[in-house]
Structures are given as C-alpha cells and as structure tokens.
Amino acid sequence: MSTIHLNRRHVLLAGALAATGVQASDDLTGGDPLGSMQWPTLRKQYIGNAPMRFAPEVLVRGPTFADDAMNVPLQVDARALAATGGGVESIQVVVDRNPVREVLTYEPLRALPVLAFRIRMEQASPVRALVKTRDGQWHVGSTWVQAAGGGCTVPGATRADGSWSRTLNQVQARVFPNAVEGSRRLRLRVMHPMDTGLVAGVPAFYIERLQLDDAAGQPWLRLALHEPVSENPLLTLELPREAAGTWLLHGRDNNGNRIRAEVAA
C-alpha cells in the first residue's frame, strides 16, 4: 500500500475518532503502523500480554497487487534478529482479514530464519510475521497486499479436476548453493489440495506438520501449516552453508496421511 494511501487512512481514522470525542492518543489500532482495526484482536489471540514491538527489521515482502488471490507470493526474512534475544525461536504468519487468519508457524532450529511460500487471500489485507526470539520478546513485521479476493472460497485446480488423489503427498525437493546469500537453499513442493473448508461440500484438508531431520535424526526445521497455504505448497528455505548430506522430510496432513521423502544435498 502506498504512503499516500496509508496517510489517507490515518487522516480518516483521526477524523472518525474526533467525531466521537476520542483523542488520537487513544488509538483503536493499538499503534499498528498499517492502521488495521483487526490488530488488537490479533495481538490478544497470538501474543497475549507478552512484550512486543513493531520491528522494521522483520521483512515481509509481497506483491503490491496480487493478480491471483489463490497464489500470493510472500517472503519473510528475520535474519536481522539473529543476534537479538538469543536468536529467532519461531515465525508465525497471519493475515488480518482472512477467514482463517493463521497461515503457518516456522521453527528454524538449525536453519536460517527466512522462508518464501504462497498463500490464499480472501481480500486486501495486512500480512504479518510475528517473530518470537528466545528471550520471549515478539517482533512484528507487516506489509499490505491488495488482492482481487475470493482466494479462500473457491476450489483449487487439482480439487476441481480430481487429480489431487493421484499425487497426494508426493514430494519434490532440491538443495543447491545460494552464492548470493552464502547459504544452501532448500526448495521443496508437497503435492496436496490444501482445502480451506470454505468451499461447499469440501471439508478442510491440509498439511499440518513438516519436519526436516539429518541422518543422525536431529531436527533442522519444523513447519506447522494451515488452510490458507496455497495448494501443492512450494516452500523455499535457507540452510547454513556447511549443511550437507542427506535429510529426511517427514510430516502428516490433518487426515493422518503421512509424508516422507529423502532430501539429498
């Protein structure tokens, strides 16, 4: 969202507050830099009374306008917090105005606190990364994404043509050097319809958990996915440069179907 639009939103909000006798200091958005009236409820639901701050160093990147509301590309980058509060413990992504707000939770463990993926959006909305460091502090990064809408309430392509049943939970994965970032990039796709449960006659059906373990059985990263992640999730993650060998990706969906695949560097 442009600075002009944001300023206009704040001017309108200030006018509305003045008309009701509420002072601008009594900000009903809880100080949200995007001026979202949903933010106080989101904070209470996901952060509670824990200490938090709006953190410009938590980068949330998305398109200014999403032409395809069923496949909105996002990147969340919290590497700037690597030396803050003992480092990043988890990254939770939420969408203020989605009917299902929670998108995913990422625990980097031995991986880097950055990931890219695609989501469904029902309407234009703030998209947020709630980053928790190991000292219990929350650092919130946000961006505004305009969207055509309806991404959560229409069936995906594989659900519409019935092909999902032939490829369910198949994994495609590749690890390759990322010379620009000085890391090793893991790109993986898990075939799954990721049904939101908001299409008539189609219950919620989505991947719940993914975990990457090394050959010794030690976990390197964990992901908890939710309904708004786009069908056939494509995830891009970053591993340390020294990461090598063969890993095991395993997980399950909400119907108990197992996901298991070897990932070689």
Side-chain angles (χ1 to χ4, degrees), residues 9-10 13 27-42 96-97 101 125-126 128 144:
R9 285 168 61 85
H10 285 296
L13 177 60
D27 184 359
L28 299 180
T29 72
D32 177 32
L34 297 185
S36 171
M37 299 295 283
Q38 289 81 25
W39 168 246
T41 302
L42 279 167
D96 288 30
R97 298 182 179 178
R101 289 171 161 178
S125 176
R128 305 184 190 273
W144 183 278

Side-chain angles (χ1 to χ4, degrees), residues 171-192:
V171 176
Q172 302 164 353
R174 182 187 173 200
V175 179
F176 53 93
N178 182 355
V180 175
E181 303 290 349
S183 60
R184 294 178 70 81
R185 176 163 291 176
L186 166 61
R187 182 164 291 156
L188 62 91
R189 183 191 295 274
V190 183
M191 305 302 288
H192 202 284

